[in-house]
Amino acid sequence: MVTRNVPRWDRGSLLRKGAAEQATFVELFFDLAMVFILSRLVEQAFDMLAEPHGASGWTVLGQSLLLFLPLMRVWTLTTYITARFDPRRPAVQGSVIASVFGVLIFGVSVSWAFDGRAVAFAGTYIVMQAGRTLAISLLATAPEVRTAYLRYFCWYAVISVPWLIGALRHGPARTALWALAVLVESVANARGWPVPRLGADLANLWATAARYLAERYQQLLMISFGEPLLSVGVTFTQVPASPYRITALIVAFLTTVLLWRLYFHVAGQLVDDAVLAASHPARTGRVAGVAHLIMILGVITTSVGHDLVEKHPHLHTPLTWSSVILAGPAIFLVGRSLLEYVVYARVSLPRPAGIVALVALIAPLALVPPLAVSGAAAIVLLLIAIADTRRSHRHPDEQPTPP
């Protein structure tokens, strides 16, 4: 008889009694909802950047970032919940399915989050974050779990004020208030969610569930890799075919393949081992999580750039467009450099050199067609991939050496 190695649990607690392993079907179902909202984020940014009489390109990019960051916080909290609680239990499954519905509301609100659906967007975020943390703090039986989620709830109660007031305001006031909410949440998270009498705790589940969390972040990154292919493919079907657009499609595909390869060669395959071998696994895991979110932001930004290249064959490239096309790969390389430091306690020279090259090309390439800009970005990524291959040939058995 074959015995399946699954987490143990008893009737008195929803907590996992063993280490979290691979994602369950309900967690993968939640990830499907992420496909929808990531696609909506790309479409929203593309539509506003491509509109000749719309908002400033820089304003669009800032607003898109403000929409991206809370989405990632929702995904992170959901993943931490399923790492701590047994997702085979109906109550936990119900929480995840409710989160799927919340992400769906996000998706249908994101295009008008700075217009007529601001209340729906902000309200959904507060209900999901504050509501879930409050429910867990009231229902949890383990004192340390109850205290942790009560700290989270106290902070989300504070954060809800600028979110909701901003939803009722218009223009720059809304953007400023929402930016303040995101900043406060980021600082609270970095400081361990400190609350008087409840203290603070920087430790997290990375110390005990490194393999599970590394796999979950990789799954989300793989979903984001699919977004450029999906987006540029849909765009290609909506415009007349031409040699220009066929070439743009090929460049978009090759760029996505290069981003994928740069991640998995080789540090991306060793994240969990590096976290487990680190002197401070919880802290190292938190940094690894941030690195993945930065890379996802880079992939999504790259996807917006490919859409601009595919649909608008202009004779010149606006500065905001060249910024998006080149900043996407640059942001990805920033996250990949951080991940490399987590795994090897160093950053190889081609990565920062590639970041500098991409940033330096933004202004000069604003004078050439968008396809040339995306081609230049692909060449930079190709050179880094070649350098990685040469290094791996010189050091074929390099093992993780985390800081």
Side-chain angles (χ1 to χ4, degrees):
M1 179 181 298
V2 178
T3 302
R4 298 184 64 185
N5 183 20
V6 298
R8 303 187 307 276
W9 52 277
D10 55 58
R11 295 179 181 273
S13 175
L14 295 176
L15 293 173
R16 291 182 185 264
K17 299 302 181 181
E21 298 181 342
Q22 65 183 14
T24 61
F25 291 118
V26 72
E27 295 163 87
L28 298 178
F29 180 53
F30 173 74
D31 286 349
L32 289 177
M34 297 296 295
V35 176
F36 170 64
I37 193 169
L38 289 176
S39 176
R40 294 300 301 157
L41 277 173
V42 170
E43 184 176 352
Q44 183 258 359
F46 166 76
D47 288 343
M48 296 182 70
L49 284 170
E51 175 58 47
H53 303 294
S56 164
W58 306 112
T59 301
V60 172
L61 297 179
Q63 290 178 349
S64 299
L65 181 62
L66 281 179
L67 300 177
F68 172 81
L69 293 175
L71 171 65
M72 291 299 100
R73 290 301 307 169
V74 167
W75 183 88
T76 300
L77 179 60
T78 304
T79 299
Y80 278 30
I81 288 174
T82 54
R84 189 186 298 272
F85 299 96
D86 191 342
R88 298 175 301 161
R89 292 296 194 99
V92 181
Q93 291 179 349
S95 173
V96 176
I97 292 173
S99 299
V100 173
F101 181 72
V103 171
L104 177 63
I105 299 301
F106 266 175
V108 299
S109 304
V110 69
S111 295
W112 297 275
F114 287 91
D115 195 3
R117 295 184 182 176
V119 173
F121 183 86
T124 300
Y125 183 66
I126 294 305
V127 168
M128 292 183 71
Q129 300 298 83
R132 290 188 295 178
T133 54
L134 176 61
I136 294 174
S137 67
L138 294 176
L139 298 176
T141 56
E144 66 278 6
V145 175
R146 184 168 58 247
T147 300
Y149 281 91
L150 182 58
R151 285 199 305 268
Y152 300 156
F153 170 73
C154 291
W155 274 102
Y156 279 116
V158 173
I159 294 167
S160 67
V161 175
W163 270 113
L164 295 178
I165 294 177
L168 299 175
R169 302 296 295 274
H170 299 279
R174 175 178 296 166
T175 302
L177 286 166
W178 283 5
L180 174 63
V182 170
L183 176 62
V184 170
E185 183 174 1
S186 300
V187 172
N189 179 59
R191 299 294 299 274
W193 308 90
V195 174
R197 296 189 178 183
L198 297 179
D201 185 10
L202 285 173
N204 61 38
L205 288 167
W206 278 97
T208 56
R211 297 194 186 281
Y212 168 83
L213 290 174
E215 179 182 332
R216 292 294 290 131
Y217 276 93
Q218 288 173 341
Q219 288 168 347
L220 184 61
L221 182 60
M222 288 301 297
I223 287 174
S224 73
F225 281 141
E227 172 52 36
L229 302 179
L230 172 65
S231 182
V232 76
V234 170
T235 300
F236 185 82
T237 64
Q238 297 173 343
V239 294
S242 68
Y244 177 99
R245 291 190 170 105
I246 293 173
T247 304
L249 181 70
I250 295 172
V251 171
F253 173 74
L254 293 177
T255 300
T256 305
V257 171
L258 287 168
L259 293 176
W260 168 82
R261 186 189 182 282
L262 288 174
Y263 173 75
F264 282 104
H265 186 89
V266 175
Q269 303 179 47
L270 302 175
V271 179
D272 51 352
D273 292 332
V275 173
L276 292 173
S279 56
H280 299 284
R283 182 176 62 191
T284 302
R286 288 164 64 92
V287 177
V290 170
H292 281 81
L293 296 184
I294 294 174
M295 285 185 285
I296 291 168
L297 177 60
V299 174
I300 297 304
T301 306
T302 301
S303 181
V304 176
H306 287 322
D307 277 4
L308 292 170
V309 174
E310 187 67 46
K311 203 163 187 177
H312 293 277
H314 296 292
L315 297 179
H316 71 282
T317 306
L319 184 60
T320 51
W321 289 22
S322 66
S323 299
V324 170
I325 296 169
L326 294 170
I331 294 171
F332 180 88
L333 290 175
V334 170
R336 182 56 176 77
S337 299
L338 185 58
L339 184 70
E340 183 177 6
Y341 180 77
V342 166
V343 176
Y344 294 118
R346 46 98 175 146
V347 177
S348 56
L349 181 60
R351 255 165 276 284
I355 295 170
V356 172
L358 289 167
V359 173
L361 288 172
I362 289 176
L365 292 185
L367 303 175
V368 302
L371 180 57
V373 182
S374 62
I379 291 173
V380 172
L381 295 176
L382 177 61
L383 293 175
I384 298 174
I386 292 173
D388 281 355
T389 301
R390 295 181 62 182
R391 181 182 180 86
S392 65
H393 285 167
R394 294 195 302 268
H395 308 279
D397 300 318
E398 189 173 16
Q399 297 299 312
T401 54

